[in-house]
Amino acid sequence: GNSVTQMEGPVTLSEEAFLTINCTYTATGYPSLFWYVQYPGEGLQLLLKATKADDKGSNKGFEATYRKETTSFHLEKGSVQVSDSAVYFCALSGGSQGNLIFGKGTKLSVKP
Amino acid sequence: DAGVIQSPRHEVTEMGQEVTLRCKPISGHDYLFWYRQTMMRGLELLIYFNNNVPIDDSGMPEDRFSAKMPNASFSTLKIQPSEPRDSAVYFCASSSGQGVSNQPQHFGDGTRLSIL
């Protein structure tokens, strides 16, 4: 079945550092891919998405490109801020059923 | 537009008591999902509905858990009897089925449940 693997956390960076959080997937068909962010005490919020191969999703300085050849959807940001400290989840659509398959989440801490 | 609304935000109760969590999805959304989040197990899908009908409840941990969706604007997750290991944050999410595979889920702020 479909599955998602994210890099283990936690990740600790200094402000203005470059961020990469790796995400790879296995899937049949052509799933859509998502990154969600969860701030402390809140629910998950959609950060960005890509619906087909070579699509690049972007939002708030974050980017991820749907790479079918490497089955990856890595999250990147050129310069992180303290306010980016959160847990990040990679997810893919489960096919025709409408559910999403989530990775285990990666906690990011950004120090000033 | 209002987002997904969950109540209560916090619930503390004693072992053995019945617990009812409530969710109002975004108007017009026809999928509704219940998740549980713990430090040990991460985010787990418990059950989801399409057009008020349960589609997959394989994530429901035990018969003590039940979920209903009597209409398009309301769902409940019930635990009876509750146990300390049920302590977690429970999230409700909804999405639109139009173009099913590329529609994101919208999450509520969750209910933090503590069973003493």
Side-chain angles (χ1 to χ4, degrees):
Chain A
N2 293 1
S3 66
V4 174
T5 302
Q6 290 184 234
M7 65 185 285
E8 297 270 339
V11 174
T12 302
L13 296 173
S14 296
E15 205 165 23
E16 299 184 1
F18 184 85
L19 169 71
T20 300
I21 300 178
N22 290 339
C23 172
T24 57
Y25 67 91
T26 57
T28 55
Y30 303 94
S32 294
L33 301 172
F34 306 83
W35 276 101
Y36 281 79
V37 59
Q38 184 180 28
Y39 299 103
E42 298 183 11
L44 280 70
Q45 303 173 24
L46 178 67
L47 181 59
L48 54 84
K49 72 174 186 180
T51 58
K52 60 183 187 295
D54 300 324
D55 265 2
K56 177 185 284 189
S58 61
N59 187 23
K60 300 180 181 179
F62 290 89
E63 294 182 340
T65 300
Y66 189 161
R67 302 280 188 204
K68 194 167 176 62
E69 65 275 14
T70 55
T71 61
S72 65
F73 193 55
H74 304 322
L75 182 68
E76 297 181 337
K77 186 175 186 181
S79 177
V80 294
Q81 305 300 311
V82 173
S83 58
D84 294 326
S85 298
V87 180
Y88 292 82
F89 293 88
C90 184
L92 66 85
S93 58
S96 61
Q97 294 299 315
N99 59 317
L100 292 180
I101 312 297
F102 284 90
K104 293 186 181 300
T106 302
K107 183 175 182 179
L108 170 67
S109 296
V110 180
K111 306 298 184 187
Chain B
D1 282 343
V4 174
I5 299 172
Q6 291 186 246
S7 64
R9 287 299 311 276
H10 303 274
E11 175 88 13
V12 180
T13 191
E14 292 189 346
M15 176 179 168
Q17 296 298 306
E18 179 178 287
V19 173
T20 300
L21 310 182
R22 296 173 176 80
C23 175
K24 176 178 170 57
I26 291 173
S27 177
H29 282 188
D30 51 358
Y31 280 85
L32 184 139
F33 306 82
W34 282 101
Y35 292 90
R36 178 172 69 176
Q37 186 178 41
T38 61
M39 290 293 292
M40 290 295 292
R41 302 169 73 97
L43 191 66
E44 302 174 277
L45 175 65
L46 300 178
I47 184 172
Y48 74 95
F49 296 82
N50 178 219
N51 291 323
N52 314 336
V53 176
I55 301 301
D56 184 354
D57 66 354
S58 59
M60 296 285 263
E62 304 172 29
D63 291 346
R64 298 184 296 107
F65 286 69
S66 62
K68 294 182 180 180
M69 192 165 186
N71 58 62
S73 59
F74 183 66
S75 177
T76 59
L77 178 67
K78 193 168 291 189
I79 308 173
Q80 167 62 21
S82 58
E83 297 183 4
R85 60 192 167 121
D86 302 330
S87 298
V89 181
Y90 290 80
F91 289 104
C92 177
S94 70
S95 69
S96 167
Q98 186 176 6
V100 163
S101 68
N102 62 21
Q103 294 303 311
Q105 293 180 14
H106 298 262
F107 282 73
D109 286 336
T111 295
R112 185 173 295 275
L113 177 64
S114 296
I115 308 296
L116 307 177

